[in-house]
Amino acid sequence: MLRLWLLLGMLVALSLVAPASEGRINDRNEYCVSSSCFPRETTIGEATVALRGAGTLRWWGFRVYSAAFYTASRSDDTASFLGKEPHRLVISYYRDIKAADIVKATNVALDQNPDIDRAAVQPAFDRINASYVDVKAGDRYELVYDPAVGTSLLHNGTLVDTIPGEDFAAALFGIWLSPHALSSSLRHKLLNHR
């Protein structure tokens, strides 16, 4: 019986650290991770940008969401393009999540990133945090940065708000993509798809 418990414990531990299965291309030429599929390119303003990477965030072995990141940049130095070039992050949720929990996670990410001037971007974060709604499994949020207009938040394809500012865009996308991202394994998948 002890061996069974040890084996189960090892399997649970491996599920916490093992990467999600790699993505695949479906018959509609979309890139799929877990059960979420994303187009392989998108348009932002006048620019067409390709899917750079996609991955699934897991918490204690449970899928929380899959995300896809689009940008023309191939640089690993996110500071060189976040808030400067068009990019998009699409998040497809597998669980119901309260808006208050999204705001809490945002604040944790901002607090752990020493590269952010929190006072300078706080008004923009107050605005976007007030825009979040509770998400249900199957919902999608999109963050779209177009240098000509700012960062747009979309919920299930509907525009919620657009907030100007390069520093805000860099800080917001940095939650997933900066060297101080909430999940280093998801960051790696978003930046290194191919």
Side-chain angles (χ1 to χ4, degrees):
M1 187 65 157
L2 179 60
R3 286 178 84 171
L4 177 63
W5 283 108
L6 287 173
L7 179 60
L8 286 173
M10 287 174 41
L11 289 174
V12 168
L14 285 174
S15 74
L16 297 177
V17 297
S21 62
E22 295 300 318
R24 61 180 169 69
I25 305 298
N26 69 9
D27 57 356
R28 292 187 309 251
N29 201 29
E30 298 171 316
Y31 188 77
C32 303
V33 289
S34 293
S35 58
S36 295
C37 296
F38 305 96
R40 294 177 70 193
E41 65 180 23
T42 188
T43 303
I44 302 171
E46 301 289 319
T48 298
V49 292
L51 176 69
R52 168 107 184 235
T56 300
L57 178 72
R58 294 176 185 271
W59 187 255
W60 291 97
F62 295 100
R63 294 180 315 158
V64 179
Y65 59 75
S66 286
F69 180 60
Y70 299 83
T71 183
S73 177
R74 301 321 270 167
S75 173
D76 289 335
D77 176 18
T78 55
S80 71
F81 65 87
L82 288 181
K84 297 175 180 67
E85 301 174 10
H87 39 272
R88 176 184 303 248
L89 181 73
V90 180
I91 302 170
S92 179
Y93 291 89
Y94 299 119
R95 310 184 106 31
D96 295 356
I97 300 176
K98 299 281 187 197
D101 292 329
I102 295 171
V103 171
K104 187 184 298 183
T106 297
N107 287 327
V108 167
L110 293 175
D111 289 341
Q112 74 183 27
N113 189 342
D115 299 332
I116 293 174
D117 179 353
R118 183 77 183 257
V121 296
Q122 192 61 51
F125 274 97
D126 291 342
R127 182 171 159 183
I128 200 165
N129 287 343
S131 299
Y132 290 125
V133 296
D134 296 348
V135 294
K136 303 286 184 205
D139 281 357
R140 284 191 176 197
Y141 265 129
E142 292 180 55
L143 300 169
V144 182
Y145 179 68
D146 180 344
V149 296
T151 303
S152 296
L153 172 68
L154 293 90
H155 179 251
N156 293 331
T158 301
L159 178 65
V160 176
D161 198 358
T162 300
I163 302 171
E166 290 178 17
D167 290 344
F168 169 68
L172 180 62
F173 282 86
I175 291 170
W176 294 271
L177 297 161
S178 80
H180 309 286
L182 275 178
S183 168
S184 59
S185 65
L186 180 59
R187 175 186 189 264
H188 176 76
K189 291 173 189 170
L190 292 173
L191 293 176
N192 297 292
H193 153 97
R194 299 181 206 273

